[in-house]
Amino acid sequence: MKKFALTMSATVLSATMILAGCGSSNPSNTASNAGGNSAKSGGKTLIFGRGGDTVTLDPANATDGETFRVTDNIYETLVADKPGTFDVKPGLATDWSASKNGLKWTFHLRKNVKFQDGTPFNADAVVFNFNRWMDPQNPYHKGDFEYFTNMFGGFKGNPKAVIKDVKKLDDYTVEIDLAHPSAPFLADLTMAAFSIASPADVKKYNGDIKDHPIGTGPFKFVSWKPNDSITLEKNPSYWDTGKPKLDKIVFQVIKDNKARLNALQAGQIDIMDGLNPADVPTVKNDSNLQLFTRPSNNVGYLAFNTQKKPFNDPRVRQAINMVVDKKALIDAFYNGMAVPAVSVLPPSMWGNDTSLQDYQVNIQKAKQLLAEAGYPNGFKTDLWAMPVARPYMPQPEKIAAALQADMKKIGIDAKIVTYDWATYLKKTANGEHTMALLGWTGDNGDPDDFLYVLLDQDNANPPAQNIAFYKNPEVHKLLVQAQQETDQNKRADLYKKAEQIILKDAPWVPLVHSTPPMAASKKVTGFVPSPVGSDILTNVDIK
């Protein structure tokens, strides 16, 4: 996520698009079709500028933040996070309890809640959704449901599956039976992927609701213009009386970070994500704008496909770790709003091993390792760069160019490749890359959501979140032990042992943990940036 000269990066990106035959041909690089600001649009319309489009409107089949940014305002989960934190609060469940052995969880559901299609929310709806996610034989199990397997070990019938059964006890009580205690279970249920959809809607579209979202949330879906905008309107039947405060939200794609800021300053949008850190002073000096920063809960990284040559040799991976100057990247692209990453876990997260010693820049040692691995003159390869700015990587194409230059110092000739966002995610999940930039914003405040999801062997099968396809049985053993251990201090010790092994194996170059800046008009009130990277706008208003 960082480094280098802008002119060089632009040249590299242009060449990449030609060579790759793709790239992000996004028509919405200006806000000319944003529909104007709230005053021009009438009513309380908030226009939210962002860098990339949503992949799907079915959150159960999503893993990306641009999808959840929208679906979090249409759907709701059984339990939720208090704004700006990972503290669990009631959602569609008003209260809950677990048996002493941790195997039975009972949820009492909120009454007088309806889906946006007018059908009732109740225990039947919850059981229906869980069965759709967990049972491959269910007629509405259409999709990969990646997050379900990532968080709960597998689908029904898999011996590793955490969830055994979900039962209705009465119209507003549900019991979830687990195969073994799961320490992060409750936190996992706050995740957007486990939002409750209308069973009637799922049945109507035979399980394919990627374009037809119906939840219980504060806003209803209106329209989606691909690579342009998604419009939501107020749900007049929302159960939380007096909310939401906005009448409409437009999620407007403006790919270029600078163009997005210009649109904000011109009053064409009301709030924006993906502010270039270098533009923070501009926002501070504009009396019409306000600055926000998200809690640092992410990691940006360069993943090696450890199943492909030459990256199946840890010496090659270690050598590349020794040529990346993380501080230089932060100075060039993060304006100081990031820290070098050594572990997968952000520094603020419990379980982070602060004693880890990162690889130091050492070109000669890197060359020596490459020679020992059989590549004394380096090699040619591809370096994949995502096409959209992300909170952990505000300028991915420029960061890729910087890494490309670093690797050239030891003879590695890396061609930069990119694709549109949805294709990029799909191809990397399928392991088509050799090296790829990507990152992760944590979903629930638990180390399991970083380490198990991103680097456990269970998640190294396509479509994989572990895009390094890294498999180490000892790491796997530690991570599974940590899931089943309820003592947080003991869990932290297990994670620290796993982090030490991962650092030595070097399936990634962990690049940064960033503190992403955002900007908004001063007309916007009630906005609290979420550490998960997608914001629920129920309490947001416009003066």
Side-chain angles (χ1 to χ4, degrees):
M1 326 220 174
K2 17 207 151 173
K3 255 191 180 186
F4 250 61
L6 308 188
T7 49
M8 176 182 178
S9 301
T11 303
V12 169
L13 182 63
S14 299
T16 299
M17 289 181 172
I18 294 169
L19 292 171
C22 52
S24 53
S25 58
N26 193 318
S28 296
N29 280 342
T30 72
S32 60
N33 51 358
N37 61 22
S38 56
K40 295 175 185 173
S41 301
K44 291 187 175 182
T45 297
L46 181 90
I47 300 178
F48 197 123
R50 57 180 178 153
D53 201 7
T54 287
V55 173
T56 173
L57 291 173
D58 178 0
N61 271 311
T63 59
D64 70 296
E66 291 301 343
T67 286
F68 297 138
R69 185 193 300 284
V70 176
T71 63
D72 272 356
N73 288 285
I74 300 173
Y75 297 95
E76 293 176 301
T77 47
L78 290 180
V79 289
D81 295 323
K82 291 180 182 176
T85 75
F86 285 118
D87 297 337
V88 177
K89 72 179 185 71
L92 287 174
T94 55
D95 57 279
W96 54 89
S97 60
S99 62
K100 284 187 178 179
N101 62 7
L103 296 181
K104 289 185 184 295
W105 287 77
T106 304
F107 292 87
H108 300 283
L109 307 182
R110 192 176 298 279
K111 297 178 181 176
N112 301 315
V113 176
K114 289 187 177 182
F115 289 101
Q116 293 144 9
D117 57 6
T119 57
F121 165 76
N122 51 32
D124 290 325
V126 175
V127 173
F128 178 92
N129 275 268
F130 271 87
N131 283 334
R132 175 184 179 237
W133 305 331
M134 65 191 282
D135 185 359
Q137 303 305 314
N138 185 283
Y140 306 110
H141 186 91
K142 304 287 181 64
D144 296 325
F145 299 93
E146 274 184 66
Y147 252 138
F148 188 90
T149 55
N150 292 158
M151 309 312 296
F152 299 132
F155 296 127
K156 188 175 182 179
N158 186 322
K160 297 180 179 178
V162 173
I163 299 180
K164 284 173 59 179
D165 197 12
V166 181
K167 296 180 290 195
K168 169 185 173 181
L169 300 186
D170 62 39
D171 284 349
Y172 293 98
T173 310
V174 170
E175 179 182 281
I176 301 177
D177 296 338
L178 306 187
H180 54 74
S182 172
F185 177 69
L186 190 66
D188 289 347
L189 292 184
T190 66
M191 293 169 58
F194 309 122
S195 298
I196 304 298
S198 160
D201 186 56
V202 174
K203 292 175 183 176
K204 180 179 179 180
Y205 293 102
N206 196 28
D208 182 4
I209 57 171
K210 65 179 183 301
D211 298 314
H212 309 284
I214 297 288
T216 61
F219 294 94
K220 301 193 301 181
F221 173 68
V222 175
S223 63
W224 183 0
K225 299 176 183 177
N227 291 319
D228 185 288
S229 62
I230 291 178
T231 300
L232 310 182
E233 67 180 13
K234 182 176 189 172
N235 174 8
S237 302
Y238 189 53
W239 57 267
D240 197 355
T241 305
K243 298 177 182 176
K245 297 176 180 177
L246 296 169
D247 296 307
K248 187 184 288 186
I249 306 170
V250 179
F251 293 96
Q252 180 68 48
V253 176
I254 305 173
K255 175 176 166 47
D256 182 75
N257 295 355
K258 197 75 174 181
R260 205 175 318 118
L261 176 58
N262 290 340
L264 179 65
Q265 290 184 297
Q268 294 171 311
I269 63 175
D270 301 298
I271 188 168
M272 63 169 284
D273 207 350
L275 177 69
N276 281 334
D279 288 328
V280 166
T282 300
V283 173
K284 286 182 175 177
N285 292 330
D286 190 327
S287 60
N288 294 315
L289 301 184
Q290 55 185 321
L291 179 72
F292 296 97
T293 53
R294 286 195 190 282
S296 182
N297 179 46
N298 60 50
V299 60
Y301 60 87
L302 172 67
F304 306 110
N305 189 331
T306 60
Q307 303 302 307
K308 288 185 176 179
K309 287 185 177 180
F311 302 109
N312 59 342
D313 190 322
R315 292 171 294 187
V316 173
R317 307 192 299 258
Q318 292 164 350
I320 295 176
N321 267 275
M322 291 178 183
V323 301
V324 176
D325 186 343
K326 298 175 186 177
K327 184 178 183 304
L329 289 175
I330 290 171
D331 290 344
F333 300 117
Y334 292 83
N335 198 31
M337 301 182 75
V339 295
V342 183
S343 167
V344 179
L345 298 179
S348 60
M349 182 167 286
W350 64 270
N352 181 292
D353 187 349
T354 56
S355 70
L356 291 178
Q357 296 296 311
D358 200 4
Y359 293 91
Q360 299 300 306
V361 175
N362 188 331
I363 303 302
Q364 291 307 313
K365 177 65 175 174
K367 286 181 176 178
Q368 180 186 333
L369 282 172
L370 274 191
E372 291 173 3
Y375 303 96
N377 299 314
F379 52 82
K380 291 185 177 181
T381 188
D382 290 339
L383 168 57
W384 291 33
M386 65 255 238
V388 298
R390 306 303 303 141
Y392 39 77
M393 206 163 295
Q395 300 174 91
E397 68 276 16
K398 295 172 183 174
I399 289 166
L403 295 173
Q404 179 190 51
D406 282 340
M407 285 185 271
K408 209 156 194 172
K409 296 173 185 172
I410 55 173
I412 297 175
D413 183 6
K415 182 181 74 174
I416 299 175
V417 176
T418 190
Y419 298 91
D420 69 83
W421 184 223
T423 303
Y424 189 87
L425 291 174
K426 183 176 182 181
K427 284 180 172 289
T428 51
N430 287 335
E432 297 179 33
H433 57 290
T434 47
M435 285 190 291
L437 287 174
L438 206 57
W440 186 257
T441 298
D443 298 279
N444 59 24
D446 195 288
D448 182 73
D449 182 46
F450 280 83
L451 285 161
Y452 179 74
V453 173
L454 300 177
L455 287 168
D456 190 85
Q457 64 188 35
D458 283 349
N459 293 317
N461 299 311
Q465 294 280 22
N466 175 0
I467 69 162
F469 295 87
Y470 169 65
K471 300 177 181 178
N472 183 309
E474 183 62 22
V475 170
H476 172 69
K477 183 179 176 183
L478 291 165
L479 297 183
V480 171
Q481 276 185 281
Q483 287 177 331
Q484 300 181 22
E485 174 58 62
T486 55
D487 184 306
Q488 185 167 308
N489 290 329
K490 292 180 180 176
R491 290 186 74 204
D493 289 340
L494 293 167
Y495 287 130
K496 288 175 183 177
K497 290 177 182 175
E499 290 171 85
Q500 291 160 12
I501 298 170
I502 291 167
L503 180 68
K504 183 179 177 183
D505 287 348
W508 292 1
V509 180
L511 295 173
V512 299
H513 304 291
S514 72
T515 304
M518 302 179 65
S521 161
K522 282 197 171 171
K523 297 180 301 179
V524 176
T525 63
F527 179 75
V528 179
S530 167
V532 305
S534 54
D535 307 295
I536 300 173
L537 303 174
T538 312
N539 295 315
V540 171
D541 202 351
I542 293 183
K543 294 179 184 174

